[in-house]
Amino acid sequence: MSLLTRTEGAHHPAAPNRRRRGAGIAPTVAVTFMAAVACYMLLPVYWLFVSSTKSQGDLVATPGFVTAEWNLGDNLSSLFAQQDGIYLRWLLNSLLYAGAGAAVATLLAAAAGYALAKYAFRGREAVFSVVLGGVLVPATALALPLFLMFAELDATNTFWAVFLPSVVSPFGVYLSRVFAAASVPDEVMEAARLDGAGEFRIFRTMALRLMAPALVTVFLFQFVVIWNNFLLPLIMLQDERLYPVTLGLFTWQTQTSRLPELQTLTIVGALVSVVPIVLTFLLLQRHWRAGLAAGAVKS
Amino acid sequence: MTSTTASARSRPRRTLAPYAFLAPFLIPFVLFTLVPVGYAFWQSLHKTARTGGTFGKTRTVFAWLEQYGRVLGEGYLADSLLRVLGFALVQIPVMLLLALVLALLLDSAVARAKRFFRLVYFVPYGIPGVVAALMWAFLYDPRLSPVVDLLRSAGIHADLLGPDVILWSIANVVTWTYTGYNMLIIYAALQAVPADIGEAARMDGASGWTIALRVKIPIIRPALVLTGVFSIIGSFQLFTEPQVLRSISTSVTSTYTPNIAAYSLASGDSYSEAAALSVVLAVVTFVLSSAFLRFTTRSQG
């Protein structure tokens, strides 16, 4: 549409009228509104940063949106010193759950999506329908039954209880199917077959490579799903050393009424856990839009 | 001769290939998605019985629909379902309208600094729900909150954690977290609208708003329906935000939302009742999101 306004003046005699209206009050209102929403989105993050730089005393005593004495360094060192450095362990746990979980989930989803897109076989539509149904099953609804199952096997409170359920990404299969259909040409597969390549080799050496940009999107989606999952680790884990960082921060926050000094640690811990993720997100933003476009248009 | 055997051998290998590619996904999918659903249902038909008095061994016995009778008989189920229903009826339209307006503005010629705004609106989605809820919990907490201070200096004594307000305090956290994500879905769909459709309308003298309402919104309808369905499911599964606020507010009870009620039951070892509640919640969610889908797709035709 921006292209349209730029070209319209050249083609259309009546355009200047509308252009003036467009250039008058509308942009001011629009930009003011957008800036107000931007403030709403950023204010809590700004507060988090400002509060992270305060000592516990200043946190309670000074106004929330105003900086006080710079105490970020001390806060960081007490964050990493608390309970023998358990915070760092939580961060690494989160990276392991989300990083490894999303990597495995992406690989499984890529293979399944590729099979659904590129082969005609019995039961294909049935399988695809069931997988699509799986997209609509929210993680919170599965957490409790998963706990009951793992309890039956005496496997709760283990790494695997949180890790294994997270390697399943029906949405990833759906996206992979859309992308495989679009990016892996039948002719290339036929040619490879004539050259004597096996089916697995075609997938490994050609299809995976052709689908690679899309698989980054699948990986990111699943990474965020696992990183944000709260109920499953909350239900499954009792051992603090297995916690992901979100659950760790939550337990600190629940103790703040008894131990007020944990307030500062929770705030600094939240900031430290958020910054790398937000940065990665913003840098990889175009992969999001690619995935969302495929998801939105095809439905 | 060698060539015929080769093709004869490759044919079955090729028909087996898709199953081999699917299996690594399907096995965990069945184990960790389908089986739990079935297991929850099976568990919901049982109850725990003790043999030989209070200190005897416990065992599960088949109980038909007894747990459902118990769940449906208690007042908390209706209360918590009505609460999330009210939440959904207010929060979803507000959030999706905001997301739609922002997406249309970003897609229009009126806005400035689009790249910057798009990045800013997406920031909250990068923040995990728990951390977002923690942040807002501090901003609501009267001991720390600059928001409460500002309101007080304006003469308003608001208790953002009180029983009347807390649901909307939660709605604010959810809106803050997911508006940008929904905006991006809608924005991606808007980007796919062919430019010449808008141009044709403009040639006919339609204004920017008319084009948005009459041309663009009908085209991106599938994306709006998608965000609607996901939002309905999310509302009925509401757990993280109220659970985090629970630790600083007594207004969030142990049966505040259906999922919190199920969690409380499970932590009290009432597994079968928790399972029955989960099944009821799943059915309600499914019925409502299907009804929404049917309604939005029928009124289109």
Side-chain angles (χ1 to χ4, degrees), chain B residues 97-126:
Chain B
L97 190 68
L98 183 60
L100 176 64
V101 170
L102 291 176
L104 284 170
L105 282 173
L106 283 179
D107 188 58
S108 77
V110 193
R112 300 282 176 273
K114 292 178 193 177
R115 221 182 117 72
F116 167 76
F117 282 124
R118 210 173 57 213
L119 284 176
V120 167
Y121 299 154
F122 201 50
V123 165
Y125 187 64

Side-chain angles (χ1 to χ4, degrees), chain A residues 1 4-5 8 27 34 40-41 44 47 121-122 140 144-145 148 152 199 227-228 230-231 253 277 285 289, chain B residues 14 18-19 36 39 109-110 118-119 121 126 128 130 134 136 138 172 176 199 202 216 237 239 247 266 271:
Chain A
M1 194 175 154
L4 286 179
T5 29
E8 121 196 290
M34 290 170 81
Y40 169 64
M41 298 289 185
W47 175 85
F121 58 93
R122 276 172 75 112
T140 39
L144 197 62
L148 300 177
E152 204 94 331
E199 298 300 315
W227 189 271
N228 284 351
F230 173 60
L231 185 53
Q253 190 242 11
I277 298 299
Q285 208 208 169
R289 264 182 297 146
Chain B
R14 221 162 109 185
Y19 300 104
Y39 186 78
V110 193
R118 210 173 57 213
L119 284 176
Y121 299 154
V130 180
L134 281 174
W136 281 103
F138 282 117
N172 173 56
W176 183 81
E199 188 165 20
R202 191 167 281 269
K216 288 186 179 174
Q237 294 294 325
F239 177 79
S247 55
Y271 294 152

Side-chain angles (χ1 to χ4, degrees), chain B residues 200-236:
Chain B
R202 191 167 281 269
M203 291 293 217
D204 292 341
S207 73
W209 278 114
T210 317
I211 295 175
L213 286 176
R214 298 274 176 81
V215 180
K216 288 186 179 174
I217 292 179
I219 294 179
I220 60 162
R221 198 186 180 104
L224 291 173
V225 171
L226 184 81
T227 55
V229 169
F230 280 127
S231 303
I232 290 174
I233 296 173
S235 295
F236 278 84

Side-chain angles (χ1 to χ4, degrees), chain B residues 266-290:
Chain B
S267 14
D269 283 347
S270 308
Y271 294 152
S272 298
E273 197 179 339
L277 177 54
S278 299
V279 172
V280 171
L281 178 61
V283 170
V284 170
T285 314
F286 177 77
V287 167
L288 282 172
S289 43
S290 314

Side-chain angles (χ1 to χ4, degrees), chain B:
Chain B
M1 192 201 107
T2 41
S3 75
T4 49
T5 43
S7 69
R9 221 187 310 134
S10 78
R11 184 75 36 89
R13 220 199 303 158
R14 221 162 109 185
T15 50
L16 281 179
Y19 300 104
F21 284 128
L22 272 172
F25 169 78
L26 281 182
I27 292 166
F29 176 71
V30 168
L31 281 178
F32 302 122
T33 302
L34 299 186
V35 171
V37 171
Y39 186 78
F41 183 66
W42 182 85
Q43 179 88 30
S44 72
L45 300 176
H46 288 71
K47 67 175 175 184
T48 309
R50 291 178 198 281
T51 53
T54 321
F55 300 103
K57 275 186 179 167
T58 60
R59 62 197 174 87
T60 45
V61 293
F62 197 73
W64 293 104
L65 298 177
E66 194 180 313
Q67 301 294 350
Y68 290 92
R70 188 181 294 198
V71 166
L72 295 172
E74 303 261 5
Y76 71 79
L77 178 72
D79 283 351
S80 60
L81 277 176
L82 283 175
R83 191 171 288 124
V84 288
L85 183 67
F87 177 92
L89 286 174
V90 176
Q91 192 268 335
I92 296 177
V94 169
M95 173 177 70
L96 292 187
L97 190 68
L98 183 60
L100 176 64
V101 170
L102 291 176
L104 284 170
L105 282 173
L106 283 179
D107 188 58
S108 77
V110 193
R112 300 282 176 273
K114 292 178 193 177
R115 221 182 117 72
F116 167 76
F117 282 124
R118 210 173 57 213
L119 284 176
V120 167
Y121 299 154
F122 201 50
V123 165
Y125 187 64
I127 296 175
V130 180
V131 175
L134 281 174
M135 252 176 358
W136 281 103
F138 282 117
L139 288 171
Y140 294 153
D141 192 335
R143 290 172 295 176
L144 287 181
S145 172
V147 178
V148 173
D149 288 348
L150 285 176
L151 288 174
R152 195 177 299 140
S153 61
I156 304 166
H157 290 270
D159 180 8
L160 299 174
L161 299 170
D164 301 329
V165 184
I166 186 123
L167 189 63
W168 312 115
S169 298
I170 295 169
N172 173 56
V173 181
V174 175
T175 307
W176 183 81
T177 313
Y178 294 104
T179 299
Y181 173 72
N182 287 306
M183 181 211 74
L184 218 62
I185 294 182
I186 299 169
Y187 178 72
L190 278 172
Q191 297 272 291
V193 174
D196 45 343
I197 295 181
E199 188 165 20
R202 191 167 281 269
M203 291 293 217
D204 292 341
S207 73
W209 278 114
T210 317
I211 295 175
L213 286 176
R214 298 274 176 81
V215 180
K216 288 186 179 174
I217 292 179
I219 294 179
I220 60 162
R221 198 186 180 104
L224 291 173
V225 171
L226 184 81
T227 55
V229 169
F230 280 127
S231 303
I232 290 174
I233 296 173
S235 295
F236 278 84
Q237 294 294 325
L238 196 61
F239 177 79
T240 304
E241 292 82 4
Q243 176 71 17
V244 170
L245 289 177
R246 240 183 112 181
S247 55
I248 58 161
S249 167
T250 49
S251 312
V252 183
T253 59
S254 63
T255 55
Y256 197 72
T257 71
N259 253 335
I260 289 185
Y263 172 72
S264 307
L265 285 170
S267 14
D269 283 347
S270 308
Y271 294 152
S272 298
E273 197 179 339
L277 177 54
S278 299
V279 172
V280 171
L281 178 61
V283 170
V284 170
T285 314
F286 177 77
V287 167
L288 282 172
S289 43
S290 314
F292 175 80
L293 264 178
R294 174 131 332 153
F295 175 73
T296 46
T297 39
R298 189 177 28 176
S299 56
Q300 188 176 25

Side-chain angles (χ1 to χ4, degrees), chain A residues 2 42 45 92 99 130 148 154 166 173 194 199 258 275 298:
Chain A
S2 57
L42 289 181
V45 184
L92 295 177
V130 175
L148 300 177
D154 266 329
S166 66
V173 174
L194 288 176
E199 298 300 315
R258 280 186 294 117
V275 167
K298 287 286 176 169

